[in-house]
């Protein structure tokens, strides 16, 4: 176990019955997340496991409240900057090579020839959910606070560690899509019924239950690695994805690429052999990560929410932040304009207000947002003028606010005042969606 002795994000503990316990326990962090260091160590472990003499593996957390809460989104921002700094013709490859390491590590674990069980006693979200899905058996504590989910779509991304491929193969497409597209979390019997968890146990019994399963299933493998296995609903995947795509576009008006990318992953990947499917998933992810929408949504809906909650707990949202948000919202008047052309432009750009959402016009945003794209209409001109006015009002505070105050203000604009998340907000940048 020399290689495992050097791990810092994980601990390796061998039980009396020669079962290796891989304990995810990041130092100095209240929750485990998949940092670059953790992904690298998981790769080391996957290579070690193939040559080891252990009878199997139990994956568990050393944290009291979470199995793994997902990706390190701060590092994700740095990765975005690295990718976009590369020459345009190499960005797909740079992104693929950087992010595919998690898929490779998880694939190595599930194909190492050893039974692997996950003992879930906290939140298994995002990459944590994907780690659990790569196990051959999942034991979950029967408690509403213990949950499985793949919420990447809520911050403009998709599960890029095999989640869009393992989940529908385990649960079926119809049960997988709410988890993939809406960020649904499953606990208890709901997780059992969906097929993402195999066994529920009382708190404190999950590790022993996982080890018993490992010892009683020495030849475990994933269903997709068995000869002749096919997903039960693979012949229906094109029709299911087409119907869901139509409803997604009606709801999002083509402004949010993540749900469409997830549907592409399912539709293209499910008919493929698994190793090809996870490469398809990563090719789609590699293009999605280069877009502005996930960067803006992470900054506003994740980092901004954390900043907002931290400020609130530290004594309340500072009065200047609340004042700035109110004044910028008043300058926008997204839900209060009497100009029918401008009101329609607000709605088509994804601003939420009292007016009924328009029908999808068939335009799916590409590199340019709807507001920026041709053709230029009177509505777009009017909306641009209104946004310039609102952003100039925000200028007054932008230079004086700290970064966390700017993000918290944008979080309030999005969640309380109808500003579209894909454009971020008016405080973190001087131009819409920049």
């Amino acid at each position: 176990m020399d290689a495992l002795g050097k791990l810092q994000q994980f601990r390796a503990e061998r039980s009396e019955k020669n079962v290796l316990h891989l304990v995810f326990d990041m130092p100095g962090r209240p929750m485990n997340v998949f940092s670059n260091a953790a992904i690298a160590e998981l790769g080391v472990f996957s290579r070690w496991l193939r040559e080891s003499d252990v009878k199997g593996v139990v994956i568990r957390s050393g944290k009291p409240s979470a199995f793994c809460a997902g990706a390190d989104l701060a590092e994700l921002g740095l990765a975005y900057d690295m990718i976009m700094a590369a020459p345009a013709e190499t960005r797909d490859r740079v992104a693929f090579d950087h992010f595919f390491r998690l898929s490779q590590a998880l694939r190595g674990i599930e194909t190492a020839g050893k039974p692997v069980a996950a003992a879930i006693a906290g939140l298994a979200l995002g990459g944590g959910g994907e780690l659990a899905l790569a196990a051959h058996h999942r034991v979950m504590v029967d408690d509403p606070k213990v949950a499985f989910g793949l919420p990447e779509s809520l911050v403009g991304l998709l599960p890029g560690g095999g989640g869009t491929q393992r989940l529908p193969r385990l649960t079926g497409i119809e049960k997988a899509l709410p988890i993939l597209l809406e960020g649904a979390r499953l606990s208890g019997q709901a997780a059992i019924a969906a097929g993402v968890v195999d066994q529920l146990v009382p708190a404190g019994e999950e590790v022993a239950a996982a080890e018993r399963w490992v010892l009683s299933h020495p030849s475990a493998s994933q269903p997709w690695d068995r000869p002749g296995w096919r997903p039960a609903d693979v012949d229906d995947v094109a029709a299911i994805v087409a119907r869901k795509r139509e409803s997604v576009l009606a709801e999002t008006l083509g402004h949010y690429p993540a749900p469409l990318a997830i549907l592409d992953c399912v539709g293209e990947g499910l008919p493929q052999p698994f190793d090809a499917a996870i490469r398809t998933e990563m090719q789609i992810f590699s293009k999605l990560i280069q877009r502005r929408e996930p960067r803006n949504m992470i900054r506003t809906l994740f980092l901004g929410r954390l900043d907002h909650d931290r400020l609130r707990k530290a004594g309340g949202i500072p009065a200047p932040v609340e004042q700035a948000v109110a004044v910028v919202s008043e300058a926008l008047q997204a839900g209060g304009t009497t100009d029918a052309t401008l009101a329609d432009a607000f709605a088509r750009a994804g601003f939420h207000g009292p007016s009924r959402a328009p029908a999808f016009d068939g335009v799916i945003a590409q590199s340019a947002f709807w507001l920026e794209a041709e053709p230029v209409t009177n509505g777009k001109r009017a909306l641009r003028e209104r946004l310039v006015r609102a952003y100039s009002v925000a200028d007054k505070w932008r230079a004086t606010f700290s970064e966390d105050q700017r993000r918290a203000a944008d979080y309030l604009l999005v969640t309380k005042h109808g500003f579209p998340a894909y454009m971020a907000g008016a405080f973190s940048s001087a131009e819409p969606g920049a």
Side-chain angles (χ1 to χ4, degrees):
M1 291 179 56
D2 288 348
L4 302 190
K6 298 177 182 178
L7 300 181
Q8 296 182 339
Q9 313 303 312
F10 294 86
R11 295 195 311 273
E13 301 174 356
R14 195 185 293 246
S15 76
E16 294 179 356
K17 296 180 180 179
N18 199 26
V19 173
L20 194 288
H21 288 224
L22 184 67
V23 185
F24 199 173
D25 195 6
M26 297 183 75
R29 301 284 289 263
M31 281 193 175
N32 296 317
V33 294
F34 267 124
S35 62
N36 292 328
I39 293 170
E41 290 188 7
L42 203 63
V44 170
F45 174 75
S46 71
R47 293 185 290 273
W48 174 90
L49 182 60
R50 188 172 296 276
E51 306 300 327
S52 76
D53 63 352
V54 297
K55 292 182 178 179
V57 177
V58 171
I59 301 175
R60 59 183 177 89
S61 173
K63 308 295 184 187
S65 60
F67 181 75
C68 173
D72 186 324
L73 292 182
E75 287 191 355
L76 204 64
L78 296 176
Y80 172 87
D81 293 340
M82 173 194 71
I83 293 162
M84 300 311 291
E89 66 275 11
T90 69
R91 288 174 188 165
D92 288 357
R93 178 180 55 78
V94 170
F96 189 103
D97 291 346
H98 181 79
F99 289 107
F100 195 54
R101 296 172 302 144
L102 178 58
S103 271
Q104 289 174 310
L106 297 179
R107 189 67 176 136
I109 289 171
E110 71 181 355
T111 60
K114 311 287 185 181
V116 180
I120 304 169
L123 297 175
L125 303 178
E130 292 179 296
L131 176 59
L133 291 176
H136 305 113
H137 186 77
R138 286 158 294 283
V139 180
M140 177 181 275
V141 169
D142 192 3
D143 184 319
K145 295 179 181 178
V146 179
F148 169 92
L150 299 175
E152 285 88 345
S153 66
L154 302 183
V155 290
L157 290 172
L158 63 86
T164 68
Q165 302 308 310
R166 290 185 179 90
L167 186 65
R169 283 169 169 80
L170 284 171
T171 69
I173 303 168
E174 297 284 8
K175 291 181 179 178
L177 290 181
I179 302 170
L180 291 169
L181 296 175
E182 301 163 20
R185 294 186 184 186
L186 301 178
S187 300
Q189 288 297 330
I192 290 283
V196 299
V197 167
D198 303 293
Q199 186 179 357
L200 292 177
V201 298
E205 297 182 16
E206 68 280 359
V207 175
E211 182 162 320
R212 283 194 300 272
W213 185 90
V214 165
L215 292 170
S216 62
H217 293 79
S219 301
S221 64
Q222 297 285 28
W224 43 86
D225 289 323
R226 297 168 194 162
W229 185 87
R230 295 177 78 240
D233 47 5
V234 66
D235 293 335
D236 301 321
V237 64
I240 294 171
V241 166
R243 287 196 301 271
K244 192 62 181 178
R245 183 180 178 87
E246 185 176 342
S247 68
V248 164
L249 287 171
E251 180 180 352
T252 67
L253 304 179
H255 296 305
Y256 293 87
L260 303 177
I262 288 169
L263 290 172
D264 288 343
C265 287
V266 175
E268 296 177 28
L270 203 63
Q272 296 178 322
F274 194 81
D275 287 309
I278 58 173
R279 295 188 71 85
T280 294
E281 175 190 80
M282 184 47 57
Q283 288 163 357
I284 294 170
F285 180 95
S286 297
K287 292 186 178 299
L288 179 63
I289 192 65
Q290 298 176 51
R291 297 187 57 141
R292 290 179 288 171
E293 295 92 340
R295 180 202 61 184
N296 290 343
M297 293 173 73
I298 289 169
R299 185 170 66 194
T300 302
L301 294 178
F302 181 77
L303 298 175
R305 176 178 59 81
L306 293 178
D307 294 329
H308 171 271
D309 293 350
R310 193 180 301 116
L311 290 170
R312 188 181 59 188
K313 290 177 182 177
I317 304 301
V321 171
E322 292 189 329
Q323 179 188 5
V325 171
V327 173
V328 170
S329 179
E330 178 63 25
L332 271 174
Q333 291 186 319
T337 181
T338 58
D339 183 327
T341 299
L342 179 57
D344 180 71
F346 268 123
R348 290 193 178 280
F351 285 79
H352 298 290
S355 60
R356 186 177 178 181
F360 173 56
D361 61 6
V363 178
I364 299 174
Q366 301 299 326
S367 59
F369 294 157
W370 175 85
L371 178 65
E372 303 163 340
E374 298 291 341
V376 176
T377 64
N378 289 336
K380 288 181 181 179
R381 289 191 188 94
L383 179 54
R384 287 174 184 169
E385 291 173 2
R386 185 62 61 87
L387 284 170
V388 167
R389 185 171 81 187
Y391 274 68
S392 66
V393 170
D395 286 343
K396 173 182 175 182
W397 288 279
R398 191 180 300 113
T400 61
F401 283 173
S402 62
E403 185 175 9
D404 60 339
Q405 289 175 330
R406 290 194 294 270
R407 290 193 301 237
D410 282 335
Y411 172 76
L412 289 171
L413 271 182
V414 169
T415 58
K416 303 297 184 184
H417 297 279
F419 207 97
Y422 75 89
M423 290 177 64
F427 293 96
S428 292
S429 62
E431 297 179 9

